Amino acid sequence: MKKAPLVIGGKTLSSRFFIGTGRYPNPVVQNETIKASGAEVLTFAIRRINLEHPDEDAILQHLEGRTFQYLPNTSGANNAEEAIRIARLARAAGLSDWIKVEISVSEKTLLPDPVETLKATEALAKEGFTVLPYTSDDPILCKKLEEVGAAAVMPGASPIGTGLGILNPYNLGVIVEEASVPIIVDAGLGSASDVAKAMELGADGVLMNTAVAKAKDPVKMALAMKQAIEAGLLSYEAGRIPMKRYATASSQLDHLLSSHSKG
């Protein structure tokens, strides 16, 4: 069960780690962390960028000549109309035609609004954007987002920034099983074991920010997450043994007893 190369919007990515650019203690740590992650896709809130001079913004500086695929997000939008306007501004400023649709109405939970997210995704896809909507772990909604033109779908493992890990592995497994586009697990992952589990469920990649940026050592955490993605993917491709109710001996006990009796 070998995973196909990760292709989104016609772009083949060698890294399955999407990383955010916010909440780091300083720009030096931010840059070193991004370097350690090996990520090719960087996400950031458009509202934090000076759209009049995006090339001069510290968040968008390249690392040692490397270029990235920018994935600006519409964080702060309360409805589809606001998200669409923000996406258009980002494209007009030359940032990217990739857009992460992120629409939340509750500041307490920051859970995505399913109706407005679906509306924005459909509208932006029709305008030629490569749309990656952030959504809840609802298999039906994820499929509908794919059907209206999402290039990849990004279900949350748990609410943004909580570090609670994967609250509903069953749903994520169903989402992956039903999908015809890449599934990138976004939000709520907190540890390398969470990341490995997401990949073992069949996810095509993960997006992380807080769990890395707010770790005691962000650079080490980025490296841990990178390796967890690789380990989880290998585990998925290798195929785990079935779960059983009772024990199974590693050695062939009946064969050993038979040989002993003959002696």
Side-chain angles (χ1 to χ4, degrees):
M1 194 161 47
K2 176 78 171 174
K3 272 280 188 185
L6 179 54
V7 181
I8 298 176
K11 183 179 181 68
T12 301
L13 301 169
S14 58
S15 171
R16 295 173 184 267
F17 193 175
F18 294 25
I19 196 165
T21 57
R23 311 201 71 189
Y24 293 92
N26 58 64
V28 173
V29 171
Q30 177 199 44
N31 288 350
E32 288 301 312
T33 301
I34 292 170
K35 190 188 306 181
S37 75
E40 297 169 89
V41 178
L42 300 186
T43 186
F44 49 86
I46 298 169
R47 63 181 179 174
R48 292 167 44 216
I49 301 298
N50 180 359
L51 293 180
E52 292 183 4
H53 302 285
D55 292 337
E56 298 176 9
D57 199 298
I59 295 174
L60 303 182
Q61 294 303 307
H62 292 180
L63 298 173
E64 297 182 357
R66 287 182 58 196
T67 56
F68 295 92
Q69 173 62 58
Y70 291 149
L71 177 60
N73 66 64
T74 65
S75 172
N78 293 312
N79 53 53
E81 184 179 352
E82 290 181 7
I84 292 167
R85 178 175 57 81
I86 292 170
R88 288 170 177 167
L89 286 171
R91 183 161 69 177
L95 288 178
S96 178
D97 61 359
W98 283 36
I99 191 73
K100 176 187 173 185
V101 171
E102 189 171 331
I103 304 172
S104 302
V105 292
S106 169
E107 292 186 6
K108 182 177 181 180
T109 65
L110 295 178
L111 291 172
D113 183 315
V115 176
E116 297 299 307
T117 298
L118 188 63
K119 277 198 242 178
T121 298
E122 183 171 18
L124 290 169
K126 286 179 178 178
E127 292 187 17
F129 283 88
T130 297
V131 189
L132 291 81
Y134 162 60
T135 184
S136 60
D137 60 352
D138 179 346
I140 305 302
L141 178 58
C142 287
K143 193 63 182 176
K144 287 186 178 296
L145 288 165
E146 175 188 326
E147 290 169 351
V148 300
V153 178
M154 307 178 77
S158 53
I160 291 174
T162 61
L164 290 172
I166 300 173
L167 296 183
N168 198 333
Y170 174 82
N171 274 23
L172 279 181
V174 173
I175 290 167
V176 168
E177 185 179 337
E178 296 292 324
S180 299
V181 297
I183 299 298
I184 310 298
V185 177
D186 179 11
L189 300 173
S191 68
S193 60
D194 295 336
V195 170
K197 181 64 175 177
M199 299 304 294
E200 286 177 328
L201 287 168
D204 295 283
V206 301
L207 188 153
M208 306 186 78
N209 190 172
T210 304
V212 175
K214 302 303 290 183
K216 292 180 180 179
D217 188 330
V219 177
K220 280 188 178 179
M221 187 59 78
L223 184 57
M225 299 305 188
K226 175 185 177 182
Q227 293 176 349
I229 290 170
E230 295 167 356
L233 178 62
L234 283 173
S235 178
Y236 172 79
E237 292 179 340
R240 65 160 294 145
I241 62 170
M243 293 184 180
K244 298 179 181 180
R245 183 175 177 84
Y246 298 108
T248 302
S250 299
S251 56
Q252 296 291 333
L253 187 59
D254 52 347
H255 172 70
L256 291 174
L257 288 174
S258 175
S259 299
H260 180 71
S261 62
K262 289 179 180 178

XYZ file of all heavy atoms in Angstrom, residues 200-241:
301
model
N -0.269 7.013 10.222
C -0.648 5.599 10.227
C -2.113 5.411 9.836
O -2.489 4.351 9.323
C -0.392 4.988 11.605
C 1.087 4.761 11.889
C 1.337 4.225 13.288
O 0.567 4.559 14.222
O 2.300 3.472 13.462
N -2.934 6.432 10.071
C -4.334 6.379 9.661
C -4.491 6.615 8.164
O -5.588 6.488 7.624
C -5.149 7.415 10.437
C -5.419 7.089 11.905
C -5.974 8.309 12.629
C -6.379 5.912 12.034
N -3.395 6.999 7.502
C -3.437 7.178 6.060
C -3.417 8.614 5.591
O -3.576 8.878 4.390
N -3.228 9.567 6.516
C -3.152 10.972 6.105
C -1.986 11.177 5.148
O -0.991 10.450 5.185
C -3.002 11.873 7.327
N -2.117 12.187 4.299
C -1.070 12.483 3.329
C -0.034 13.463 3.865
O 1.023 13.657 3.254
C -1.691 13.048 2.049
C -2.573 12.017 1.363
O -2.015 11.105 0.717
O -3.800 12.099 1.490
N -0.347 14.101 4.992
C 0.578 15.044 5.590
C -0.061 15.690 6.798
O -1.214 15.413 7.135
N 0.684 16.560 7.464
C 0.152 17.282 8.617
C 0.579 18.741 8.539
O 1.623 19.070 7.963
C 0.636 16.691 9.967
C 0.219 15.240 10.100
C 2.148 16.830 10.122
N -0.247 19.607 9.117
C 0.105 21.010 9.253
C 0.186 21.325 10.739
O -0.729 20.995 11.497
C -0.931 21.915 8.583
C -0.564 23.409 8.502
C -1.253 24.064 7.304
C -0.894 24.174 9.776
N 1.277 21.951 11.156
C 1.474 22.262 12.569
C 2.044 23.660 12.725
O 2.804 24.128 11.882
C 2.426 21.260 13.221
C 2.030 19.815 13.034
S 3.080 18.700 13.971
C 2.393 18.910 15.603
N 1.679 24.283 13.838
C 2.280 25.563 14.198
C 2.529 25.610 15.705
O 3.663 25.513 16.165
C 1.393 26.719 13.740
C 2.070 28.072 13.859
O 1.556 29.070 13.396
N 3.245 28.160 14.469
N 1.465 25.717 16.496
C 1.616 25.913 17.936
C 2.455 24.825 18.595
O 3.319 25.123 19.429
C 0.239 25.979 18.612
O -0.534 27.014 18.000
C 0.371 26.273 20.097
N 2.204 23.560 18.252
C 2.918 22.457 18.904
C 4.420 22.548 18.708
O 5.201 22.076 19.543
C 2.406 21.124 18.381
N 4.829 23.162 17.609
C 6.253 23.342 17.333
C 6.740 24.675 17.900
O 7.716 24.731 18.657
C 6.525 23.269 15.822
C 7.983 23.583 15.517
C 6.161 21.886 15.279
N 6.050 25.752 17.551
C 6.509 27.093 17.921
C 6.545 27.318 19.421
O 7.405 28.049 19.930
C 5.615 28.139 17.263
N 5.624 26.700 20.167
C 5.555 26.920 21.611
C 6.214 25.803 22.412
O 6.132 25.785 23.651
C 4.092 27.077 22.053
C 3.359 28.221 21.357
C 4.033 29.566 21.553
C 3.917 30.094 22.970
N 4.515 31.446 23.108
N 6.888 24.880 21.739
C 7.649 23.849 22.453
C 8.832 24.499 23.172
O 9.273 25.591 22.796
C 8.149 22.787 21.474
N 9.364 23.832 24.184
C 10.527 24.373 24.887
C 11.719 24.531 23.938
O 12.506 25.460 24.066
C 10.894 23.474 26.063
C 9.866 23.492 27.179
C 10.276 22.594 28.326
C 9.228 22.630 29.445
N 9.603 21.731 30.564
N 11.824 23.612 22.984
C 12.875 23.689 21.966
C 12.218 23.486 20.602
O 12.069 22.346 20.139
C 13.942 22.621 22.213
C 15.158 22.772 21.301
O 14.985 23.267 20.167
O 16.267 22.402 21.724
N 11.771 24.561 19.956
C 11.063 24.430 18.686
C 11.848 23.706 17.601
O 11.268 22.954 16.812
C 10.779 25.886 18.285
C 10.752 26.623 19.573
C 11.807 25.963 20.417
N 13.152 23.922 17.550
C 13.959 23.295 16.502
C 13.956 21.778 16.666
O 13.750 21.025 15.705
C 15.400 23.846 16.515
C 16.250 23.132 15.474
C 15.399 25.348 16.252
N 14.188 21.311 17.901
C 14.158 19.869 18.151
C 12.774 19.290 17.892
O 12.630 18.189 17.360
C 14.579 19.574 19.595
C 16.073 19.583 19.828
C 16.409 19.099 21.231
C 17.921 19.066 21.454
N 18.266 18.614 22.815
N 11.737 20.047 18.274
C 10.382 19.553 18.061
C 10.069 19.437 16.573
O 9.422 18.477 16.133
C 9.366 20.455 18.754
C 7.941 19.913 18.726
S 7.780 18.284 19.530
C 7.776 18.800 21.259
N 10.523 20.394 15.785
C 10.304 20.321 14.336
C 10.959 19.076 13.748
O 10.383 18.387 12.903
C 10.856 21.573 13.658
N 12.174 18.777 14.212
C 12.873 17.587 13.741
C 12.134 16.322 14.163
O 12.003 15.371 13.383
C 14.303 17.575 14.279
C 15.209 16.442 13.808
C 15.310 16.424 12.286
C 16.591 16.572 14.435
N 11.630 16.321 15.400
C 10.862 15.167 15.885
C 9.614 14.948 15.041
O 9.279 13.810 14.678
C 10.476 15.372 17.352
N 8.915 16.025 14.722
C 7.694 15.916 13.919
C 8.019 15.428 12.506
O 7.296 14.614 11.931
C 6.981 17.268 13.855
C 6.534 17.821 15.195
S 5.481 16.667 16.131
C 4.991 17.751 17.490
N 9.105 15.927 11.945
C 9.526 15.486 10.611
C 9.779 13.980 10.602
O 9.324 13.259 9.704
C 10.792 16.244 10.211
C 11.392 15.791 8.892
C 12.720 16.498 8.626
C 13.367 16.000 7.346
N 14.680 16.637 7.111
N 10.499 13.493 11.605
C 10.807 12.065 11.676
C 9.565 11.236 11.969
O 9.421 10.101 11.493
C 11.897 11.831 12.714
C 13.236 12.433 12.313
C 14.313 12.305 13.372
O 14.032 11.946 14.513
N 15.538 12.621 13.021
N 8.630 11.801 12.743
C 7.386 11.091 13.041
C 6.540 10.921 11.781
O 5.887 9.892 11.592
C 6.597 11.843 14.112
N 6.553 11.934 10.925
C 5.835 11.824 9.651
C 6.415 10.677 8.831
O 5.681 9.850 8.276
C 5.932 13.149 8.865
C 5.104 14.234 9.562
C 5.451 12.961 7.425
C 5.317 15.625 8.996
N 7.729 10.623 8.777
C 8.387 9.567 7.998
C 8.103 8.183 8.584
O 7.811 7.240 7.852
C 9.892 9.840 7.951
C 10.250 11.123 7.201
C 11.692 11.564 7.410
O 12.400 10.907 8.199
O 12.109 12.559 6.785
N 8.175 8.074 9.922
C 7.927 6.783 10.571
C 6.476 6.351 10.398
O 6.194 5.180 10.116
C 8.281 6.877 12.064
N 5.551 7.293 10.582
C 4.138 6.959 10.432
C 3.784 6.538 9.028
O 2.993 5.614 8.818
N 4.389 7.213 8.048
C 4.141 6.852 6.651
C 4.673 5.458 6.350
O 3.998 4.640 5.699
C 4.794 7.887 5.737
C 4.668 7.632 4.233
C 3.204 7.631 3.809
C 5.450 8.681 3.444
N 5.883 5.159 6.835
C 6.443 3.820 6.626
C 5.579 2.753 7.280
O 5.356 1.677 6.720
C 7.867 3.757 7.194
C 8.968 4.408 6.358
C 10.279 4.412 7.133
C 9.142 3.680 5.032
N 5.080 3.052 8.481
C 4.224 2.108 9.186
C 2.937 1.846 8.404
O 2.481 0.709 8.284
C 3.899 2.642 10.584
O 3.037 1.773 11.275
N 2.361 2.924 7.862
C 1.136 2.790 7.059
C 1.393 1.931 5.822
O 0.614 1.027 5.499
C 0.640 4.167 6.642
C -0.505 4.144 5.665
C -1.801 3.902 6.102
C -0.289 4.359 4.301
C -2.866 3.868 5.202
C -1.337 4.332 3.401
C -2.623 4.089 3.855
O -3.661 4.056 2.956
N 2.501 2.207 5.152
C 2.809 1.464 3.936
C 3.157 0.008 4.231
O 2.860 -0.890 3.433
C 3.962 2.136 3.199
C 3.597 3.499 2.629
C 4.757 4.182 1.927
O 5.925 3.803 2.188
O 4.504 5.094 1.111
N 3.765 -0.249 5.397
C 4.136 -1.622 5.761
C 2.916 -2.465 6.093
O 2.879 -3.662 5.799
C 5.092 -1.596 6.960
N 1.903 -1.834 6.697
C 0.682 -2.562 7.039
C 0.778 -3.241 8.395
O 1.485 -4.245 8.540
N 0.077 -2.700 9.381
C 0.148 -3.242 10.735
C -0.569 -4.586 10.824
O -1.431 -4.914 10.003
C -0.446 -2.266 11.745
C -1.936 -2.005 11.586
C -2.520 -1.448 12.893
N -2.476 -2.426 13.939
C -2.260 -2.149 15.229
N -2.077 -0.900 15.605
N -2.246 -3.099 16.134
N -0.237 -5.380 11.832
C -0.923 -6.643 12.063
C -2.329 -6.357 12.564
O -2.591 -5.310 13.170
C -0.168 -7.524 13.087
C -0.102 -6.820 14.455
C 1.222 -7.865 12.578
C 0.414 -7.708 15.579
